[in-house]
Amino acid sequence: MSRHRARRDLDGLGQTDSWDGVRAVVAGFGVSGFAAADNLTHLGAAVTALDERAEGKEEKAELLEVLGADVRLGPGTTAALPADLDHVDVVVTSPGWRPDSPLLVEARERGIPVWGEVELAWRLRHPDHATPWLAVTGTNGKTTTVQMLDAILRAAGLRSVAAGNVGLPLVEAVMDPVPHDVLAVELSSFQLHYTDSMSAESAAVLNVAEDHLDWYPSMDAYAADKGRVYERVQRACVYNVADPVTEQLVRDADVVEGARAIGIALGMPSVGMMGLVEDILVDRAFIEERSTSAAELCTVADLPSHAPHVVSNALAAAALARAHGVSQQAVRDGLRGFRLDGHRIAVVAEADGITWVDDSKATNPHAALSSLRAYDPVVWVAGGLAKGARFDELVQAVRDRLRGVVLLGRDADVVAEALARHAPDVPVIRVGNDETGVTGGDHGPMGRVVAAAAQLARPGDTVLLAPGCASMDQFTHYGARGDAFAGAVREHLAG
């Protein structure tokens, strides 16, 4: 089979077709890679799955090999396309793979299509019941918004599932033998980079701020990938009025005729928008009387947090649900029953007039800024892997709120330098980064972090872990960092 003929045949293949004769290479054998390899094998494709790391993947590899796939794990397996394959028709890449990875560069040079798991999932939707996708992306708030959206859809009696970058892999969702009524889809910029044909029913970009600049050559490139979620949207493009980049991405998108732009705002909404009237979330976009009135959806008290970014997430979820035709009551019921995941502005303890809050999920400056704006005064715990981000704008915005700052992690200097430039009078305590977060009875460096924060805090203050950085320099993931912080707080208060 020639590569030209293979590409033409692939364009017409879906989940009801036989993929016999198609040779697929799956690059990366994580959650999405396994889902892609498993389902392509089920459809009849000849699958070769590659991953540099074998640890923890042996059992799934054995399972796929029993089903007929070829799984190659270990160092060097992803350096190039396997030389022993007579041809390759498609490469399905895991989202974290950079476009300049040698294997992907080789595939493009040979004219082989490179898909992400999201692109594969879109092509595998069932032709008789093509479940609509409500898609969410943004630098921060994606997971919370998608989970809120899923809760609203379920409250409306719909068979929904959160999928994509959170929850179920999208390939698994679309291949479910019992079709869903609708999918609440979280998409990262990495996933969108490798997606070319998706046409979401409605989509939202929550915000665009500095992140992943170790992966992207520029902010413009990063924003452009976020904006791909709006391409071919059928009903509504939801954007954040407070973030002009998101509105521009809507303007730049090529959407289906009749699709609407719906703004969300933390204030009185204009016609065609969602917003706040005092403490009430309201809809002026999806009611007939929107020129003269607004429909009440719920109150801020119905939400799991009063933090502005949580309110904004709720408005975005409500907008996507309303665009799908969900009732006002279902929006209210879904949001009333919703609870935030762990490590998202979670109160760990309150003692001696001081509140201790874990927002370890704030892994970039924009997320940390949103969290910091919810508290005043605050002792800020920050640091970790900055991923190329800068902290000057954040410090300038919150310096008047800061009682003090405790820094840890490999890139603590990046935060410290911004503080020295813009908040030189704010006390800063540095904690050494020579320990991991999983050793020592004092929760590694977190024991010293908490002790330092306690020195700085006064009654009425909030001690806030909102690192603005990734965690992998000292912890296995942000959850482990949050757990270490919470454990250290409890030990400190008990002592």
Side-chain angles (χ1 to χ4, degrees), residues 289-461:
E289 313 83 14
R290 56 183 173 267
S291 61
T292 57
S293 61
E296 178 177 339
L297 299 174
C298 67
T299 68
V300 171
D302 291 322
L303 305 180
S305 167
H306 297 181
H309 61 289
V310 175
V311 179
S312 183
N313 293 342
L315 285 167
L320 291 170
R322 294 285 284 160
H324 188 65
V326 166
S327 70
Q328 297 164 234
Q329 181 178 344
V331 172
R332 182 198 64 199
D333 292 347
L335 291 175
R336 275 183 177 173
F338 178 77
R339 296 294 178 266
L340 292 168
D341 279 353
H343 313 295
R344 289 172 169 82
I345 54 175
V347 175
V348 173
E350 297 181 40
D352 301 322
I354 298 169
T355 303
W356 301 78
V357 177
D358 166 17
D359 196 15
S360 185
K361 183 63 171 68
T363 57
N364 56 58
H366 185 268
L369 175 60
S370 295
S371 191
L372 284 160
R373 281 177 166 160
Y375 304 100
D376 185 15
V378 61
V379 175
W380 178 31
V381 179
L385 292 176
K387 300 177 291 181
R390 297 180 296 272
F391 288 78
D392 293 83
E393 290 185 11
L394 184 158
V395 172
Q396 287 177 303
V398 302
R399 58 191 172 194
D400 294 337
R401 297 171 179 264
L402 298 178
R403 173 79 68 191
V405 180
V406 182
L407 297 177
L408 78 164
R410 194 185 75 181
D411 292 334
D413 285 345
V414 178
V415 187
E417 290 164 4
L419 287 162
R421 283 191 289 271
H422 306 293
D425 296 331
V426 173
V428 176
I429 299 176
R430 296 284 297 273
V431 171
N433 61 357
D434 55 342
E435 298 182 49
T436 66
V438 293
T439 60
D442 66 346
H443 302 275
M446 277 301 180
R448 288 176 286 137
V449 165
V450 167
Q455 293 176 29
L456 294 169
R458 301 288 181 267
D461 290 357

Side-chain angles (χ1 to χ4, degrees), residues 5-303:
R5 185 174 145 206
R7 185 181 300 183
R8 184 188 62 222
D9 291 343
L10 287 177
D11 284 342
L13 289 179
Q15 71 165 267
T16 58
D17 302 305
S18 170
W19 289 58
D20 185 44
V22 174
R23 181 171 291 281
V25 169
V26 175
F29 197 59
V31 174
S32 64
F34 174 79
D38 180 27
N39 284 281
L40 283 171
T41 301
H42 172 75
L43 291 168
V47 175
T48 302
L50 313 173
D51 200 297
E52 290 286 317
R53 300 180 63 181
E55 184 179 357
K57 299 172 181 175
E58 298 89 348
E59 185 175 341
K60 287 186 175 180
E62 289 178 11
L63 172 62
L64 274 188
E65 286 174 340
V66 168
L67 297 175
D70 177 11
V71 182
R72 308 182 188 186
L73 306 176
T77 55
T78 68
L81 289 168
D84 59 330
L85 300 183
D86 55 359
H87 73 284
V88 176
D89 298 310
V90 64
V91 173
V92 180
T93 179
S94 293
W97 278 47
R98 294 170 58 106
D100 58 2
S101 300
L103 185 148
L104 301 185
V105 171
E106 179 186 352
R108 287 192 296 271
E109 289 176 345
R110 289 171 53 178
I112 300 169
V114 176
W115 298 346
E117 185 248 349
V118 176
E119 178 68 20
L120 175 64
W122 183 257
R123 291 168 179 260
L124 291 181
R125 293 171 307 128
H126 198 287
D128 296 333
H129 41 75
T131 301
W133 292 16
L134 304 178
V136 178
T137 192
T139 303
N140 297 301
K142 298 184 294 294
T143 298
T144 297
T145 303
V146 163
Q147 291 173 335
M148 285 177 164
L149 174 60
D150 182 46
I152 293 168
L153 296 168
R154 289 171 179 268
L158 299 172
R159 187 169 189 264
S160 167
V161 68
N165 200 43
V166 64
L168 196 66
L170 271 165
V171 168
E172 297 286 355
V174 300
M175 293 292 287
D176 193 320
V178 181
H180 293 86
D181 297 318
V182 60
L183 298 181
V185 179
E186 177 184 335
L187 295 174
S188 70
S189 61
F190 300 157
Q191 289 172 309
L192 286 163
H193 183 85
Y194 297 110
T195 302
D196 297 309
S197 63
M198 182 186 75
S199 174
E201 181 181 274
S202 296
V205 180
L206 304 175
N207 42 63
V208 179
E210 276 194 354
D211 201 11
H212 301 303
L213 295 185
D214 52 349
W215 203 89
Y216 284 97
S218 67
M219 270 295 295
D220 286 344
Y222 172 59
D225 273 356
K226 290 293 188 190
R228 292 166 75 93
V229 77
Y230 289 136
E231 293 298 320
R232 297 167 294 277
V233 156
Q234 301 164 31
R235 288 192 185 176
C237 295
V238 179
Y239 67 93
N240 185 348
V241 172
D243 189 337
V245 174
T246 65
E247 182 175 2
Q248 188 58 48
L249 292 175
V250 175
R251 295 182 184 279
D252 294 342
D254 185 9
V255 302
V256 173
E257 186 176 354
R260 299 170 58 194
I262 306 296
I264 57 170
L266 291 178
M268 184 74 72
S270 301
V271 176
M273 295 184 180
M274 317 279 281
L276 284 176
V277 177
E278 297 181 349
D279 64 344
I280 301 172
L281 281 70
V282 298
D283 171 4
R284 290 195 73 186
F286 300 103
I287 59 171
E288 290 185 9
E289 313 83 14
R290 56 183 173 267
S291 61
T292 57
S293 61
E296 178 177 339
L297 299 174
C298 67
T299 68
V300 171
D302 291 322
L303 305 180

